[in-house]
């Protein structure tokens, strides 16, 4: 079996503040170790059941260079560094049987959800064929285009809710913390969170829950609501995009991976100096 494991930092046990996800901040150095350890726990759980599994751990936070390579489970392959065309799911087309998403955060605008956002602080909402999706849904829909189901998701209670809504009750989840607000949570101890992740990753391999790959209808219609009209001015420069209102841009692409690429580009434009 080939398993694709993405790891973000905001949904890791104990993390509550953007300082903990910001390279250069002393708190970040601890958070990246917590992130690395949660990734290793999932790898261990997969290998407990299938010692021959090939596990790719994909670092998907900020610069995509957070996981400490020498501290990660030694049998994992680590995918890191950016930019890359398909961002958080780059490489998912390389023949995987399943995906697991670790350290996930809620989508932009979710209340009582630590550090909820969608790619940047400047994307207010993304609608895919009229359905609002955060990173969890968008990444899963790209995986779905390659027939890869998401078997396990971890994060706070809002992530668990989003996962069930997208994939059904069969999806396995680990709630490592209960968010109380945007910058506040009650969290499991990191060691307890790792135990839970290892157990559920093993369970996913043993029971292989009947989660279907997330498919979206094609052609895919996207609407991206941005924080300010000037950002929509930039996004509107992309060939084939149209202005829907002051801060919303829409576009249509033949399939989900192509639409996701446009969204990645909008994310890059949103961080350009103005
Ligand atoms: Zn992140």
């Amino acid at each position: 079996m080939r398993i694709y494991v993405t790891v973000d930092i905001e949904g890791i046990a104990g993390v509550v503040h953007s300082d903990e996800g910001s390279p250069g901040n002393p708190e970040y150095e601890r958070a990246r170790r917590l992130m690395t350890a949660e990734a290793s726990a999932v790898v261990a759980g997969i290998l407990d059941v299938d010692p021959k599994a090939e596990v790719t751990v994909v670092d998907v936070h900020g610069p995509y260079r957070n996981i400490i390579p020498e501290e990660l489970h030694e049998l994992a392959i680590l995918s890191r560094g950016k930019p890359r065309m398909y961002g958080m799911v780059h490489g998912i087309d390389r023949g995987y049987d399943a995906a697991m998403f670790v350290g996930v955060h809620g989508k932009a605008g979710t209340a009582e959800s630590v550090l909820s956002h969608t790619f940047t602080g400047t994307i207010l909402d993304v609608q895919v064929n009229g359905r609002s999706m955060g990173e969890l849904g968008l990444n899963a829909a790209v995986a779905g285009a390659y027939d890869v189901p998401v078997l396990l998701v971890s994060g706070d209670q809002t992530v668990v809710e989003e996962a069930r809504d997208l994939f059904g009750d069969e999806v396995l989840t680990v709630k490592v913390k209960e968010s109380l607000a945007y910058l506040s949570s009650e969290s499991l101890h990191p060691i307890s969170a790792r135990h839970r992740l290892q157990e559920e990753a093993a369970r996913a391999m043993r029971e292989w829950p009947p989660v279907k790959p997330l498919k979206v209808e094609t052609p895919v219609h996207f609407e991206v609501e941005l924080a300010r009209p000037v950002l929509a001015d930039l996004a509107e420069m992309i060939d084939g995009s149209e202005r829907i209102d002051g801060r919303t841009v829409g576009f249509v692409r033949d399939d989900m991976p192509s639409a996701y690429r446009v969204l990645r580009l909008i994310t890059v434009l949103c961080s350009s100096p103005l």
Side-chain angles (χ1 to χ4, degrees):
M1 287 291 174
R2 282 169 50 80
I3 313 294
Y4 186 92
V5 181
T6 70
V7 193
D8 206 345
I9 210 165
E10 291 88 347
I12 298 293
V15 171
V16 290
H17 197 281
S18 53
D19 284 355
E20 292 167 291
S22 304
N25 191 294
E27 289 190 64
Y28 166 77
E29 291 303 324
R30 188 207 289 132
R32 69 192 299 199
R33 288 195 154 75
L34 298 176
M35 180 188 183
T36 304
E38 286 200 12
S40 294
V42 169
V43 177
I46 293 167
L47 296 175
D48 283 345
V49 174
D50 180 0
K52 291 197 175 126
E54 291 174 39
V55 188
T56 304
V57 169
V58 188
D59 190 326
V60 299
H61 173 74
Y64 294 0
R65 284 182 280 114
N66 311 280
I67 288 172
I68 300 162
E70 65 273 27
E71 291 185 15
L72 182 64
H73 194 297
E74 67 185 55
L75 297 180
I77 299 294
L78 176 60
S79 170
R80 69 198 304 254
K82 74 193 308 188
R84 47 195 186 196
M85 203 179 288
Y86 295 100
M88 297 174 77
V89 278
H90 196 87
I92 192 72
D93 59 336
R94 293 160 67 94
Y96 288 94
D97 298 290
M100 301 186 188
F101 292 165
V102 179
V104 180
H105 51 78
K107 69 174 181 160
T110 309
E112 293 172 358
S113 175
V114 161
L115 300 168
S116 60
H117 67 280
T118 301
F119 296 127
T120 74
T122 48
I123 291 178
L124 300 184
D125 192 29
V126 179
Q127 302 251 346
V128 180
N129 296 334
R131 182 183 193 182
S132 174
M133 282 189 184
E135 292 176 23
L136 177 59
L138 293 160
N139 294 338
V142 176
Y146 297 102
D147 296 316
V148 181
V150 179
L151 301 187
L152 174 66
V153 177
S154 75
D156 69 3
Q157 81 281 10
T158 69
V159 168
V160 169
E161 203 176 302
E162 249 183 84
R164 295 211 174 116
D165 187 46
L166 288 161
F167 314 126
D169 291 339
E170 291 84 10
V171 66
L172 300 181
T173 56
V174 177
K175 186 180 89 171
V176 300
K177 59 191 168 194
E178 177 89 16
S179 292
L180 305 175
Y182 185 75
L183 296 176
S184 171
S185 79
E186 289 181 356
S187 178
L188 293 182
H189 187 284
I191 292 173
S192 297
R194 288 170 214 162
H195 286 153
R196 294 272 298 112
L197 285 162
Q198 185 168 349
E199 280 165 19
E200 291 304 296
R203 190 173 151 207
M205 297 304 288
R206 203 182 313 113
E207 298 177 8
W208 206 267
V211 184
K212 291 196 177 71
L214 184 65
K215 298 279 186 187
V216 297
E217 222 172 281
T218 55
V220 193
H221 292 248
F222 263 57
E223 283 191 23
V224 183
E225 187 186 354
L226 298 155
R228 290 178 290 137
V230 67
L231 301 174
D233 291 344
L234 291 172
E236 202 183 1
M237 291 177 190
I238 298 169
D239 192 33
S241 66
E242 65 166 326
R243 191 72 164 250
I244 291 169
D245 63 32
R247 58 186 189 195
T248 308
V249 167
F251 55 90
V252 181
R253 289 295 184 273
D254 288 341
D255 52 39
M256 186 62 201
S258 309
Y260 188 90
R261 273 173 68 178
V262 178
L263 188 59
R264 294 303 309 169
L265 183 54
I266 291 176
T267 304
V268 172
L269 290 174
C270 281
S271 31
S272 59
L274 291 165

